Amino acid sequence: MGRRDRPRRATGRPTKRVLATRLRFETLLAELSAGLIHVSAPDTGVAIERALRQVVTFLGVDRGGLDEHAEGRPRLHLSWARPGLEEPPPVTAADQFPWVSRRLREGEVVRFSRLAELPEAAAIDRASFERVGAGSQVLIPLRTGGPILGVLSFVAVRAGHAWPDDLVARLRLLSEAFAGVLDRRRMELSLAERLRFEQLLSSLATAFSHLSAADFDPAVQHGLRQVVDFLGIDRGSLIEFTRDGTAARSWAVEEWMEVGEFPWMTARLQRGEVINVSQLEELPDEAAVDRQSYLLHRVKPQVAVPLLVSGIVVGGLVFSTVGAERARSDELIQQLHLLGEVFANGLARKQGELEAQRLRQDLTHIGRVSALGELTASLTHELSQPLTAILSNAQTAQRLVAADIVDLESVREILSDIVADDKRAAAVINGLRALIKKGEPEFMPLDLNVIVGEVTWLLRSDTITRHVSMSLELAPDLPRVHGDRVQLQQVVLNLVLNGFEAMREPHAGARTLVIRTARDGAATLRTVQDSGPGIAEKDLGRIFEPLYTTKTEGLGMGLAIVRTIVHAHGGAVGVENNPQGGASLHVTLPVAPEGAQ
Amino acid sequence: MTAVAPLVLVVDDEPSVRKSLTRLLGSAGYPVEAFASAREFLAREPHPGPCCLVLDVRMPGLTGIQLQELLAATGRRMSIVFVSGHADVRTSVKAMKAGAVDLLTKPVDAHDLIAAIQRAVTKDERDRATEARRAEIQWRVRLLTPRETEVFALVVTGMLNKQIAVALGIGEKTVKVHRARVMEKMRAGSVAELVRLADEAGVTVPTT
């Protein structure tokens, strides 16, 4: 003990100086460590650089650096060096520093006072160090228990700088503080990114949930663009499969490639498989056509997720890159699955809406045709009138001609009557055709009064057989409504026929159906039966429901169709019993925009 | 055929049909009068000469069938040709049972219509002749005294003078005198002829 104590006493001052130096270093490290704990992600770079400068200055070396290792994320590459020193390549560049980076990944510190200390195995590394002028260096892996987060390095350009164990031990302590900063920053960034992703998801979901079929295309384009930008991918496309499994439609950001060019990928998507191919070489032999297409379009293989709705593949989301190949992390696939769900819902919604629209059209068509059945008698009557007149007139003319009584004036009159009656017959047929016509609704500003007039004209002879009378009370200043002519004719027809039916039960008193239009903000149409049983209280809420009927004959579709059409027009339906008997049904339709008037 | 052309009365709510039928029948030589409704037709004085009615089945207000019923109920006999845009079996049967000459569906062929009108006019003329004869016989019946009327009613039932005398409580000779007067006033040459006249006149046996 005594022998060992003596030299220290003999070198008391230098020991004191060393101790003082060490104390100052410990203090610096403690300060740096404490300071780094509260650094937030945006300030990381500045804080680390300041710390590096302090350490480099204190140690009297030439450069301090921190290289972050990160997969698929912007990495930090920070350093502080004495002025005039060339920026070295990061030691994480495995092609230049294979041996070093392997050791670091294993968690070991690499240090050398001169390059010659590096083993034979590190020949490549040594050459690289020589090129950047690092005679003496210490490299410390940064980790917080998981994989390596980065590397902390200190460099003396001049060879021979010693890196004693106690210094290295202290630098390791410092490295933990740096590692903590990197770890926190990474978590913050990933949290922020996750948040951004959540926002992307929710904005897409919102966009798709309020989507009409007509707006689908631009919304998908916009959505794909957002996803592509977010993921930093070059191309994205959405493929829609039909029920029989063929690719029906597709939407794409940037250049689109035909689905048919990728049979292998399409087949796999349709089986519900995820495709994640980062290299052309990974493609199997049976994907020869796909490979050709990739080469043709200069597209790096891609990642694709199937879109499922209720377990059925309805489409696929495909992303590819043009530039550098990137490994697709599990996280990315996870994100794509989530995005896929949003797009799948969008597709399902669109398909559902189109389906509903088709059903609605079929339904109104059926409704029209069945209403026509009821109208047959009156239409026959309507047509037989002009035909009777035409035939009589024509045969009169024949008789005149046969009898050689050619009175030109009479013949002229007869012919003009024939023409007029023929036009009347044509008008009946056209009215009929318009009613039967099944097609896409065409929305335009319409005068409800005109529509009421058209329909009641068709029905006027019906009133005779049904022993009812119809009276029109049309508002002269009715604003135009935005609607489809045929569908609104259907609404009026069904309402009027319903009114007729309601007054069918035998009862005393006049049977008058009043059809009234009025403006009260919107345009309203009201049919009022002045007699008839009215509607039972319990049925008031249900009469517009499909297949609901209180009549002995009747499908119960008439008023349901009215409601469907009116709702599709953004309008409302209603019903109430009249105090004096009978019931009133009314329909409110939004007014066409001012510009469309 | 009568010297005066029979009148055709057209009732149809459709102006163009009225006009064209008027024109057609006019070209066939018939004087035509057209009415827009049953009420309008009813407002016209009954036509004294031969005529027929061309009637639309389906009209607002009174329908053709209802007009037919109304005419029958008020004793106005008319030969009716119905025209209908949409004739159902029930309506047709009802109209024909009630004595319509024909029921034609629109559009009506001129040949069919004129043929039907001719039949209707013939029927009308025949009906008119029958009516005239009945009126004539009834006029003769009105010339009989009450006692002669009683004797007339019993003679046509096939009773003998003796039976009639008993039934009326008078002498057989008195019956003979009344009977001769009846035969004379009724211008009947035989009992058989008297029975036929009674039948045509609708004379019923007075209840005793």
Side-chain angles (χ1 to χ4, degrees):
Chain A
M1 284 292 273
R3 275 203 307 156
R4 285 189 61 177
D5 284 345
R6 226 169 358 217
R8 269 197 189 170
R9 265 201 303 279
T11 55
R13 286 184 69 90
T15 306
K16 233 181 195 171
R17 209 166 54 240
V18 168
L19 278 175
T21 306
R22 188 173 293 172
L23 192 63
R24 279 203 294 125
F25 191 52
E26 297 286 359
T27 312
L28 173 66
L29 292 182
E31 279 172 10
L32 288 175
S33 300
L36 286 172
I37 286 174
H38 301 294
V39 171
S40 65
D43 304 329
T44 311
V46 177
I48 287 176
E49 273 180 8
R50 192 191 306 125
L52 288 172
R53 176 169 54 86
Q54 286 174 280
V55 176
V56 166
T57 311
F58 188 92
L59 294 177
V61 294
D62 302 305
R63 180 191 292 121
L66 184 143
D67 289 299
E68 187 184 19
H69 288 214
E71 299 280 352
R73 277 213 192 76
R75 22 173 105 171
L76 282 177
H77 174 63
L78 303 164
S79 69
W80 190 87
R82 288 173 188 281
L85 277 182
E86 199 188 327
E87 184 72 13
V91 285
T92 48
D95 52 339
Q96 293 181 53
F97 303 99
W99 181 81
V100 171
S101 56
R102 192 169 59 247
R103 300 279 308 261
L104 288 171
R105 266 205 298 280
E106 285 161 7
E108 289 179 37
V109 173
V110 175
R111 60 176 153 165
F112 52 89
S113 300
R114 49 195 83 249
L115 283 171
E117 289 172 20
L118 288 172
E120 272 309 305
I124 299 171
D125 308 62
R126 193 161 24 174
S128 302
F129 280 127
E130 268 171 10
R131 210 163 45 244
V132 300
S136 172
Q137 186 154 179
V138 61
L139 299 139
I140 304 157
L142 300 175
R143 57 197 307 178
T144 52
I148 182 168
L149 297 171
V151 176
L152 182 64
S153 61
F154 295 98
V155 176
V157 176
R158 181 179 50 80
H161 192 92
W163 306 102
D165 287 348
D166 59 341
L167 175 66
V168 169
R170 273 160 187 75
L171 287 177
R172 281 207 88 144
L173 282 176
L174 179 67
S175 80
E176 279 172 25
F178 280 116
V181 171
L182 288 185
D183 198 33
R184 270 203 312 284
R185 175 174 177 273
R186 191 169 291 192
M187 271 164 56
E188 274 181 41
L189 285 179
S190 120
L191 206 64
E193 192 178 347
R194 215 158 276 171
L195 202 65
R196 274 208 311 134
F197 183 73
E198 292 294 333
Q199 280 165 351
L200 174 69
L201 271 186
S202 71
S203 88
L204 286 175
T206 312
F208 286 148
S209 70
H210 300 302
L211 203 55
S212 70
D215 300 330
F216 188 76
D217 292 0
V220 164
Q221 290 285 353
H222 183 67
L224 284 174
R225 163 63 60 196
Q226 282 179 290
V227 171
V228 159
D229 288 348
F230 179 85
L231 297 174
I233 305 177
D234 298 309
R235 287 178 184 170
S237 49
L238 172 70
I239 303 168
E240 179 183 12
F241 296 132
T242 55
R243 289 209 179 122
D244 55 16
T246 51
R249 289 204 53 190
S250 52
W251 298 262
V253 167
E254 304 297 341
E255 185 192 354
W256 169 239
M257 302 163 288
E258 285 297 315
V259 178
E261 294 178 280
F262 300 91
W264 176 79
M265 180 197 76
T266 310
R268 285 191 60 185
L269 270 182
Q270 281 170 349
R271 289 200 298 270
E273 292 171 23
V274 175
I275 295 118
N276 186 9
V277 182
S278 54
Q279 308 254 339
L280 270 183
E281 293 71 40
E282 291 173 27
L283 287 171
D285 290 343
E286 62 263 32
V289 179
D290 297 58
R291 184 183 293 126
Q292 281 301 316
S293 306
Y294 285 128
L295 290 171
L296 188 71
H297 293 287
R298 300 157 183 270
V299 169
K300 294 287 166 15
Q302 47 205 0
V303 56
V305 290
L307 306 182
L308 292 112
V309 173
S310 314
I312 296 160
V313 180
V314 294
L317 209 47
V318 184
F319 294 100
S320 46
T321 46
V322 181
E325 287 166 14
R326 283 233 309 267
R328 270 71 183 240
S329 65
D330 290 346
E331 193 185 350
L332 177 72
I333 301 290
Q334 191 61 39
Q335 287 178 335
L336 288 181
H337 273 300
L338 290 170
L339 286 168
E341 271 177 36
V342 173
F343 278 90
N345 287 335
L347 270 184
R349 210 187 132 72
K350 185 201 73 155
Q351 288 171 346
E353 198 190 310
L354 288 176
E355 185 72 11
Q357 200 178 320
R358 196 159 49 236
L359 274 176
R360 206 154 53 219
Q361 274 173 19
D362 285 352
L363 198 62
T364 50
H365 179 66
I366 290 166
R368 274 204 296 278
V369 172
S370 64
L372 280 175
E374 298 179 41
L375 281 178
T376 307
S378 48
L379 286 170
T380 312
H381 186 75
E382 223 41 75
L383 269 180
S384 72
Q385 302 288 29
L387 289 178
T388 303
I390 289 169
L391 187 59
S392 300
N393 280 323
Q395 289 185 322
T396 303
Q398 282 180 331
R399 292 176 74 94
L400 291 180
V401 170
D404 269 340
I405 324 167
V406 183
D407 172 4
L408 266 184
E409 190 50 42
S410 300
V411 172
R412 196 172 292 131
E413 271 179 37
I414 287 171
L415 287 178
S416 92
D417 282 356
I418 288 175
V419 170
D421 283 317
D422 197 285
K423 282 182 177 167
R424 239 186 79 201
V428 173
I429 292 170
N430 284 338
L432 189 68
R433 192 177 290 144
L435 276 174
I436 305 178
K437 196 182 91 181
K438 178 184 172 184
E440 295 288 319
E442 287 172 43
F443 283 78
M444 59 181 81
L446 294 171
D447 187 343
L448 203 53
N449 287 343
V450 171
I451 289 171
V452 169
E454 286 165 351
V455 173
T456 50
W457 187 79
L458 274 178
L459 285 168
R460 71 203 155 117
S461 59
D462 233 50
T463 57
I464 298 166
T465 41
R466 292 173 186 267
H467 305 292
V468 293
S469 64
M470 204 162 41
S471 84
L472 304 186
E473 295 175 12
L474 304 180
D477 56 346
L478 197 67
R480 282 165 182 265
V481 298
H482 184 63
D484 176 70
R485 172 176 297 278
V486 175
Q487 288 193 354
L488 291 186
Q489 281 176 342
Q490 179 75 40
V491 166
V492 176
L493 177 65
N494 287 13
L495 284 176
V496 173
L497 286 177
N498 182 79
F500 285 174
E501 283 296 315
M503 295 192 291
R504 185 165 153 174
E505 299 303 316
H507 64 275
R511 303 159 188 230
T512 305
L513 184 75
V514 182
I515 301 159
R516 195 177 289 153
T517 57
R519 82 179 294 173
D520 43 9
T524 61
L525 169 73
R526 186 177 285 266
T527 56
V528 183
Q529 304 135 226
D530 70 346
S531 57
I535 297 154
E537 200 64 38
K538 65 177 172 58
D539 295 332
L540 273 176
R542 299 189 58 193
I543 67 158
F544 286 102
E545 286 175 17
L547 303 176
Y548 186 79
T549 179
T550 56
K551 296 168 197 157
T552 42
E553 299 165 31
L555 202 56
M557 288 313 296
L559 293 181
I561 290 166
V562 166
R563 186 179 65 172
T564 308
I565 293 174
V566 169
H567 282 179
H569 280 71
V573 294
V575 59
E576 69 263 332
N577 284 317
N578 303 328
Q580 73 280 12
S584 296
L585 272 72
H586 57 89
V587 156
T588 308
L589 292 163
V591 171
E594 205 54 45
Q597 298 276 322
Chain B
M1 271 283 166
T2 38
V4 188
L7 178 67
V8 180
L9 300 139
V10 174
V11 183
D12 198 308
D13 62 310
E14 189 59 45
S16 68
V17 172
R18 276 204 306 278
K19 188 178 177 189
S20 63
L21 288 183
T22 303
R23 186 182 272 149
L24 173 69
L25 297 174
S27 80
Y30 289 101
V32 183
E33 273 184 43
F35 305 89
S37 69
R39 301 229 172 268
E40 205 178 288
F41 167 77
L42 287 170
R44 188 204 191 279
E45 286 291 310
H47 180 61
C51 64
C52 78
L53 184 57
V54 174
L55 186 55
D56 188 16
V57 170
R58 188 159 150 171
M59 289 184 295
L62 273 183
T63 67
I65 301 291
Q66 285 170 328
L67 177 59
Q68 183 188 30
E69 286 169 0
L70 192 69
L71 288 172
T74 54
R76 276 180 70 180
R77 184 202 49 76
M78 292 225 54
S79 270
I80 301 176
V81 175
F82 277 108
V83 287
S84 163
H86 181 70
D88 59 283
V89 174
R90 222 170 61 188
T91 311
S92 311
V93 169
K94 198 173 175 186
M96 297 307 286
K97 268 190 170 171
V101 175
D102 209 343
L103 191 147
L104 305 169
T105 37
K106 288 180 180 180
V108 184
D109 183 80
H111 182 262
D112 294 347
L113 180 63
I114 289 165
I117 284 173
Q118 274 169 359
R119 278 202 308 282
V121 167
T122 305
K123 180 175 180 288
D124 185 64
E125 283 167 344
R126 203 172 55 231
D127 289 349
R128 262 168 211 284
T130 310
E131 268 175 3
R133 183 163 168 72
R134 177 179 292 176
E136 153 74 11
I137 295 165
Q138 280 174 346
W139 184 77
R140 286 182 214 168
V141 171
R142 278 202 293 277
L143 291 176
L144 301 176
T145 62
R147 186 56 88 184
E148 285 166 359
T149 308
E150 284 174 342
V151 172
F152 171 49
L154 295 175
V155 169
V156 298
T157 61
M159 278 172 113
L160 298 172
N161 287 350
K162 204 185 280 178
Q163 292 171 306
I164 296 170
V166 173
L168 296 176
I170 54 173
E172 195 178 337
K173 275 188 181 168
T174 315
V175 173
K176 264 188 178 173
V177 173
H178 285 309
R179 183 174 180 144
R181 285 271 176 82
V182 169
M183 294 297 275
E184 189 190 343
K185 283 184 178 173
M186 293 301 290
R187 293 181 218 166
S190 65
V191 174
E193 199 181 340
L194 192 68
V195 169
R196 193 170 48 80
L197 289 172
D199 188 43
E200 282 181 37
V203 173
T204 50
V205 184
T207 45
T208 44

